[in-house]
Amino acid sequence: MFSRPALPARQPDHNVWSYPAGNLTWTPRTNEPSCLPEPVPWTPVALFAVPWPQIVDERPEIVPSLAINPFQPAMPILQWDIRQNPITARLTTGAHISTDLAQVLSSQITDIPVGIIDIAIPACPMAYMWGVIRVQRSSAVKVQDVLDAMYEWLQKPLTRAEMEHIECVNPDGVDSIMWALQERASTSLTLHGWEHRQGPRRIDCLGDIRRWMGLCYSPTGQGMQLVLNLETVHRL
């Protein structure tokens, strides 16, 4: 039986295998051109830096009854002419059923309890004279706290100095306010003459833009800074 000879130790520059028919020698040819393609140098690719997604402002969620309707922004859940007392406001469901506010008045304004919020009214051109509406409580702010604070803030009488300032800023502004006062007095549940003698109030600076459209967070503010969105009331 044919036996395969053991391989000799590898030489430094060549390999030799001895067989009965002769020796087989292999010597590396380092000086001849190679048939293999030249290796391509690897250069790391400079990848564009992918920015991290922006962190969503995770402020507390506003109670749906006071927030802008996400499905129908033109149809707020809370139906309220803010010139009227909050007790006149109504809630409208998706089935167009109108109910009173009793079921939500004691609800927290946000899903996470907060004790202070600021509300701005961009629709009121003179609001810069009075600042934002601040609602502050020792416990969690409720829906009723917000509605009452807005109503009281808007019902404050305009002082003589404020009327003079409005006249300087916008000469036609005083006429618009006095027209709004006359219209408000004529539709008031109290005596027309008595209401008119009380003089103009902050609410009169809004004219017909008094329809509640919902609260949202201020795009430029931080923390609990909200914005009250309003539209023109529908006249019958």
Side-chain angles (χ1 to χ4, degrees):
M1 184 175 181
F2 176 78
S3 61
R4 180 178 298 178
L7 296 177
R10 181 174 178 176
Q11 304 300 318
D13 58 349
H14 62 274
N15 294 329
V16 179
W17 289 268
S18 296
Y19 294 96
N23 296 331
L24 177 63
T25 304
W26 175 82
T27 303
R29 297 182 180 181
T30 57
N31 297 328
E32 294 184 4
S34 174
C35 298
L36 299 176
E38 291 293 330
V40 179
W42 178 79
T43 303
V45 179
L47 299 177
F48 293 102
V50 180
W52 288 99
Q54 294 183 357
I55 298 176
V56 178
D57 190 0
E58 296 181 355
R59 289 185 281 191
E61 182 179 351
I62 302 173
V63 64
S65 56
L66 298 189
I68 296 177
N69 190 337
F71 305 105
Q72 293 180 292
M75 183 180 175
I77 298 176
L78 179 66
Q79 300 291 329
W80 182 31
D81 179 349
I82 61 174
R83 189 174 69 182
Q84 306 298 328
N85 192 288
I87 62 175
T88 63
R90 306 284 292 178
L91 291 177
T92 302
T93 66
H96 301 280
I97 299 176
S98 179
T99 63
D100 58 33
L101 300 182
Q103 57 182 324
V104 300
L105 287 177
S106 59
S107 301
Q108 296 178 170
I109 181 65
T110 52
D111 57 344
I112 301 175
V114 294
I116 181 172
I117 62 173
D118 291 332
I119 303 173
I121 306 180
C124 183
M126 296 292 112
Y128 66 87
M129 295 191 297
W130 312 302
V132 298
I133 304 172
R134 170 153 291 190
V135 187
Q136 187 171 1
R137 297 293 183 270
S138 57
S139 58
V141 176
K142 304 292 196 303
V143 170
Q144 185 165 10
D145 298 330
V146 173
L147 301 183
D148 290 344
M150 286 185 180
Y151 182 74
E152 293 172 4
W153 189 88
L154 290 167
Q155 290 298 317
K156 289 185 177 180
L158 294 175
T159 64
R160 182 180 296 273
E162 291 170 346
M163 291 292 289
E164 292 174 353
H165 175 75
I166 293 173
E167 186 175 16
C168 292
V169 175
N170 180 13
D172 297 331
V174 173
D175 292 338
S176 299
I177 290 174
M178 297 308 295
W179 177 89
L181 166 61
Q182 179 67 26
E183 196 269 338
R184 175 169 58 84
S186 64
T187 58
S188 175
L189 299 179
T190 60
L191 295 176
H192 175 275
W194 181 88
E195 189 67 43
H196 195 274
R197 286 194 299 271
Q198 301 307 306
R201 304 176 185 271
R202 292 178 179 177
I203 184 64
D204 297 321
C205 296
L206 288 170
D208 287 338
I209 307 177
R210 308 187 310 269
R211 184 189 179 207
W212 174 285
M213 298 302 294
L215 293 173
C216 66
Y217 280 107
S218 170
T220 59
Q222 297 179 351
M224 295 305 298
Q225 296 181 4
L226 307 182
V227 172
L228 172 58
N229 298 274
L230 299 172
E231 279 193 0
T232 304
V233 294
H234 300 306
R235 291 181 174 274
L236 299 178

